[in-house]
C-alpha cells in the first residue's frame, strides 16, 4: 500500500493477493502457480521470496505473473522448500520496483520477508514517528512500517516482534511472512481481507483465496480467523490469538466484485452469493423487458440470478475482449474512457429492437455505464434498464480496495435519478443494503453491521487516523503560524 497522503491523488490504494507454502521441494513454483490464480487481485507487479536453508533468494518485477515467473532461470534461482509471494495492483507513479512485495529485511534473528494484502490506516503517523527515531525507509509502502516496528521492538523472537509491531498498527491486513523454516499468516482483528489455510499433502499453504489452493491441488482446510496468527513450522500449524478481539468486518465488496467467483469465502461460494444477489435485485426492482445482459465478466453471476428469478431470458449481449487490462489501470479519464470501448463490444444480433436489462456489479465513476448504455442504444436497443448488484458506492475504501476519492464517486455527487440521467438509461436501480445482507443469509443489516460495508454506508469500522490527521504540508503551515 502507498503512504502518500490519500487526497493527493485518486489512485493511491492497492489491491493485492498473497500466497505462501512450507515444505515441498519446488515451493517457489507452487507460489508462482498460486499467484497466477490470484492475478485478478493485482496485475501490476509480483514477487516471490524463498528460503533455501541459508539465503532468501527473491525476484520481484513490474508486470504479470506469467511474464515475471515464466523464465526457467528465474524459477531455478528461487530455491528452497519454503516460499511466499505477492501480486499487487498499484495505480500511481509510485509503481516502482522498490515498492514491489514481498518486502525483505535482515534482522538480528535472521532474514524475514513480508507480503501484505490490505491497507494500514495509521502507517503515515507511525512512519513519521519512526523517521524521527532514525529509521530509514526504503519504499513508500505502508507495509514497510511493519518491518521498522519489528526492528525497533523490545526484542524477542520473530513472532514476539511481529505481534508487537502489529499491535501498533491500525487498518486492514492479511499477511503472509517468511522466516527461517517458518511461514506465518495473520489476519487483522476485524478480518477485513481474506486469508485461507490449505494442505498440499502434509504441506501447509496460505492464500488470499481458495482458487489459489485449487490450482496447486491443495485441500481447503479453513479460513484463518480474524485476529488469528497461524505459524507453519515443520509441517505443523500452530494457531495464536495475540490481539484483542474485535467484531468481524469482512469486506462485503469481496463478494460483490473483487474475489474470483469460483472461490469460497467464509464457507460461501462467491458465485452462488452473486447469483443470490442478482435474484434479490430482480425481486426488488424487476422491469418488463426482453433480455437480461451481463456487463462482462463481473456482472455475469448476478445477471444469471436476475434472469432466473425474473424469468427473462439471459444472453451475452456484450462480448468482452480479454486481451486488454482492467479499465482501472488507465491513468487518466480520457484513456479510461477509451479503455471501456477497447474492452466491450455489443452483440448486435441479440440487442436490435429489444428492451434490455443490463446487470453490472457496481458504478464507481460511471464511466463503464455511460459507454455500455450508449453501446446498447447504438446497437438498436429499444429500452435500456440498468441494474446494479451493489448499493450505490458513495464512499472511498481505505482498507485495500482501489477506489477513487469520494468526490469522484458518482453516487457521492448524484442521486439515483441524477445518475440515471447521467448514464442515459431508461431506468436505474441498485440492490438495497438489506437486500444485499439477505443474499448473504442474514435477515437484514444489523445496526452493528456484520460486514465492512463502508463503501456504501460511510460506516468505517477501523479508525482512519492518517486520513483524518492534518497533511504534512498543513502541519508545516501550522508550525509556521505558531512560530
Ligand atoms: P466505473 O466505470 O468507474 O463506474 O467503474 C465500474 C466498473 O468497474 C464496474 O464494471 C466494475 O465491475 C468495475 N470495478 C468496480 N470496482 C472496481 C475496482 N476496485 N477495481 C477495478 N474495477 C472495479
Amino acid at each position: 500500500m502507498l503512504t502518500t497522503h490519500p487526497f493527493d491523488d485518486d489512485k493511491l490504494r492497492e489491491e493485492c493477493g498473497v500466497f505462501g507454502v512450507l515444505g515441498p521441494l519446488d515451493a517457489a513454483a507452487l507460489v508462482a502457480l498460486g499467484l497466477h490464480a490470484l492475478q485478478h487481485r493485482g496485475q501490476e507487479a509480483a514477487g516471490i521470496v524463498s528460503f533455501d536453508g541459508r539465503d532468501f533468494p527473491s525476484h520481484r518485477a513490474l508486470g504479470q505473473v506469467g511474464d515475471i515467473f515464466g523464465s526457467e532461470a528465474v524459477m531455478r534461482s528461487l530455491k528452497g522448500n519454503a516460499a511466499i509471494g505477492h501480486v499487487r495492483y498499484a495505480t500511481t507513479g509510485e509503481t516502482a520496483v522498490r515498492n514491489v512485495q514481498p518486502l525483505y529485511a535482515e534482522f538480528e534473528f535472521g532474514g524475514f520477508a513480508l507480503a501484505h494484502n490490505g491497507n494500514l490506516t495509521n502507517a503515515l503517523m507511525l512512519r513519521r514517528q519512526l523517521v524521527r527515531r532514525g529509521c530509514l525507509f526504503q519504499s513508500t509502502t505502508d507495509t514497510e512500517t511493519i518491518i521498522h516496528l519489528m526492528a525497533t521492538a523490545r526484542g524477542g523472537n520473530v513472532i514476539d516482534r511481529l505481534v508487537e509491531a502489529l499491535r501498533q498498527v491500525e487498518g486492514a491486513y492479511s499477511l503472509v511472512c517468511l522466516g527461517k523454516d517458518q511461514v506465518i499468516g495473520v489476519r487483522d482483528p476485524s478480518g477485513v481481507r481474506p486469508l485461507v489455510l490449505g494442505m498440499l499433502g502434509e504441506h501447509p499453504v496460505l492464500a488470499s483465496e481458495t482458487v489459489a489452493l485449487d490450482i496447486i491441488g491443495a485441500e481447503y482446510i479453513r479460513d484463518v480467523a480474524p485476529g488469528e496468527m497461524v505459524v507453519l513450522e515443520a509441517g505443523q500449524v500452530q494457531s495464536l490469538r495475540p490481539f484483542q478481539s474485535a467484531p468481524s468486518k469482512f469486506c462485503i465488496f469481496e463478494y460483490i466484485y473483487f474475489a474470483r467467483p469460483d472461490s469460497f469465502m467464509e464457507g460461501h461460494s462467491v458465485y452462488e452469493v452473486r447469483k443470490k444477489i442478482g435474484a434479490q435485485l430482480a425481486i426488488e426492482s424487476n422491469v418488463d423487458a426482453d433480455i437480461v445482459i451481463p456487463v462482462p465478466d463481473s456482472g455475469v453471476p448476478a445477471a444469471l440470478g436476475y434472469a432466473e428469478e425474473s424469468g427473462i431470458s439471459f444472453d451475452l449481449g456484450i462480448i468482452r475482449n480479454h486481451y486488454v487490462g482492467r479499465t482501472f489501470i488507465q491513468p487518466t479519464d480520457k484513456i479510461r474512457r477509451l479503455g471501456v470501448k477497447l474492452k466491450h463490444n455489443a452483440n448486435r444480433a441479440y440487442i436490435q429492437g429489444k428492451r434490455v436489462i443490463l446487470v453490472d456489479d457496481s458504478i464507481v465513476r460511471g464511466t463503464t455505464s455511460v459507454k455500455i448504455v450508449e453501446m446498447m442504444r447504438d446497437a438498436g436497443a429499444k429500452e435500456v434498464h440498468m441494474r446494479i448488484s451493489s448499493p450505490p458506492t458513495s464512499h472511498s475504501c481505505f482498507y485495500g480496495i482501489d477506489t477513487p476519492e469520494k468526490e469522484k464517486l458518482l453516487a457521492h455527487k448524484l442521486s439515483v435519478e441524477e445518475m440515471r440521467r447521467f448514464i442515459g438509461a431508461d431506468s436505474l436501480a441498485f440492490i438495497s443494503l438489506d437486500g444485499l445482507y439477505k443474499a448473504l443469509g442474514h435477515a437484514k443489516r444489523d445496526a452493528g453491521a456484520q460486514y465492512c460495508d463502508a463503501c456504501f454506508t460511510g460506516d468505517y469500522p477501523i479508525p482512519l487516523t492518517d486520513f483524518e490527521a492534518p497533511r504534512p504540508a498543513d502541519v508545516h503551515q501550522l508550525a509556521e503560524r505558531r512560530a
Side-chain angles (χ1 to χ4, degrees):
M1 308 314 107
L2 302 175
T3 50
T4 320
H5 194 280
F7 302 129
D8 288 345
D9 194 283
D10 70 332
K11 305 298 296 158
L12 291 164
R13 290 160 292 280
E14 298 168 48
E15 304 164 328
C16 304
V18 293
F19 190 92
V21 60
L22 177 78
L25 282 176
D26 46 359
L30 295 173
V31 174
L33 280 170
L35 294 184
H36 198 72
L38 298 174
Q39 186 77 85
H40 62 289
R41 299 185 72 87
Q43 295 150 39
E44 286 218 335
I48 295 178
V49 178
S50 64
F51 178 62
D52 65 8
R54 201 188 63 150
D55 297 319
F56 286 81
S58 66
H59 186 70
R60 302 173 192 81
L62 302 179
Q64 300 204 356
V65 177
D67 300 324
I68 300 171
F69 298 107
S71 135
E72 251 181 64
V74 166
M75 291 316 296
R76 256 202 315 271
S77 72
L78 295 167
K79 292 192 181 66
N81 61 356
I84 64 168
H86 188 261
V87 284
R88 180 186 125 120
Y89 187 51
T91 43
T92 61
E94 282 297 323
T95 308
V97 176
R98 69 194 174 117
N99 283 335
V100 180
Q101 297 192 26
L103 297 184
Y104 176 76
E106 294 277 352
F107 290 102
E108 298 161 55
F109 55 77
F112 183 78
L114 177 65
H116 173 201
N117 171 213
N119 193 51
L120 305 183
T121 50
N122 68 341
L124 267 181
M125 192 258 301
L126 291 169
R127 186 183 178 114
R128 281 186 212 121
Q129 290 170 359
L130 287 160
V131 168
R132 257 181 252 128
R133 289 170 67 184
C135 293
L136 300 172
F137 278 74
Q138 307 283 316
S139 74
T140 55
T141 68
D142 59 349
T143 311
E144 193 182 346
T145 309
I146 300 173
I147 298 277
H148 289 287
L149 289 172
M150 287 176 73
T152 53
R154 281 184 301 265
N157 62 21
V158 57
I159 304 290
D160 297 336
R161 282 172 183 261
L162 183 58
V163 168
E164 190 177 327
L166 293 178
R167 281 189 181 144
Q168 297 170 70
V169 306
E170 294 168 353
Y173 55 84
S174 280
L175 305 179
V176 172
C177 315
L178 177 69
K180 282 189 197 162
D181 293 317
Q182 200 176 45
V183 171
I184 304 162
V186 198
R187 266 179 99 191
D188 66 75
S190 304
V192 177
R193 303 259 73 88
L195 190 65
V196 296
L197 176 69
M199 289 300 281
L200 179 65
E202 74 263 31
H203 306 306
V205 186
L206 290 165
S208 293
E209 293 185 32
T210 58
V211 286
L213 302 178
D214 296 342
I215 198 172
I216 62 162
E219 186 194 351
Y220 164 73
I221 302 296
R222 64 178 177 87
D223 288 22
V224 175
E228 182 183 8
M229 176 179 277
V230 286
V231 182
L232 319 183
E233 206 165 2
Q236 300 295 310
V237 179
Q238 195 193 350
S239 167
L240 309 173
R241 297 290 184 137
F243 312 112
Q244 255 187 353
S245 67
S248 167
K249 294 287 176 186
F250 184 60
C251 167
I252 209 160
F253 202 67
E254 292 273 356
Y255 285 115
I256 292 166
Y257 168 82
F258 201 38
R260 251 175 64 165
D262 43 343
S263 275
F264 284 78
M265 302 210 144
E266 305 178 299
H268 300 293
S269 147
V270 173
Y271 182 80
E272 206 172 298
V273 169
R274 286 184 190 162
K275 278 186 79 175
K276 284 186 182 158
I277 295 174
Q280 180 64 30
L281 186 58
I283 291 169
E284 291 181 6
S285 62
N286 193 28
V287 57
D288 203 14
D290 305 308
I291 185 170
V292 174
I293 293 177
V295 178
D297 291 324
S298 48
V300 173
L304 277 167
Y306 191 106
E308 257 174 47
E309 179 62 38
S310 63
I312 302 171
S313 67
F314 170 97
D315 262 303
L316 298 179
I318 302 167
I319 304 301
R320 176 166 169 195
N321 179 342
H322 284 269
Y323 306 98
V324 282
R326 287 185 182 189
T327 19
F328 267 51
I329 290 175
Q330 313 303 336
T332 66
D333 276 348
K334 197 173 154 211
I335 304 286
R336 222 174 353 249
R337 273 197 293 275
L338 196 68
V340 177
K341 267 194 175 164
L342 285 173
K343 209 157 106 171
H344 297 119
N345 191 35
N347 187 3
R348 280 175 182 274
Y350 278 76
I351 293 161
Q352 185 82 43
K354 302 253 176 74
R355 295 167 302 164
V356 166
I357 297 175
L358 281 174
V359 180
D360 201 359
D361 61 89
S362 56
I363 294 182
V364 182
R365 292 181 181 80
T367 321
T368 309
S369 308
V370 167
K371 285 288 151 197
I372 298 280
V373 171
E374 193 183 312
M375 198 179 281
M376 292 297 103
R377 301 233 189 256
D378 288 350
K382 219 157 66 184
E383 290 171 21
V384 183
H385 303 278
M386 189 87 193
R387 295 292 177 271
I388 305 294
S389 65
S390 64
T393 303
S394 52
H395 292 75
S396 306
C397 177
F398 296 95
Y399 306 132
I401 298 276
D402 173 45
T403 41
E405 61 187 286
K406 200 162 75 175
E407 287 66 29
K408 292 200 173 153
L409 297 172
L410 203 62
H412 173 73
K413 301 184 281 195
L414 305 180
S415 68
V416 174
E417 170 54 18
E418 286 166 335
M419 289 170 83
R420 181 197 68 73
R421 258 182 273 143
F422 179 85
I423 66 171
D426 294 291
S427 76
L428 168 67
F430 295 80
I431 193 169
S432 68
L433 199 56
D434 280 341
L436 177 58
Y437 275 77
K438 217 178 260 177
L440 277 156
H442 304 275
K444 62 180 182 59
R445 181 187 193 262
D446 288 347
Q450 301 91 325
Y451 295 91
C452 176
D453 54 18
C455 48
F456 310 128
T457 60
D459 187 357
Y460 292 100
I462 305 172
L464 302 177
T465 305
D466 286 342
F467 305 86
E468 284 155 0
R471 315 157 69 135
D474 302 339
V475 172
H476 186 65
Q477 276 180 1
L478 282 174
E480 269 180 359
R481 249 181 264 151
R482 274 195 215 106

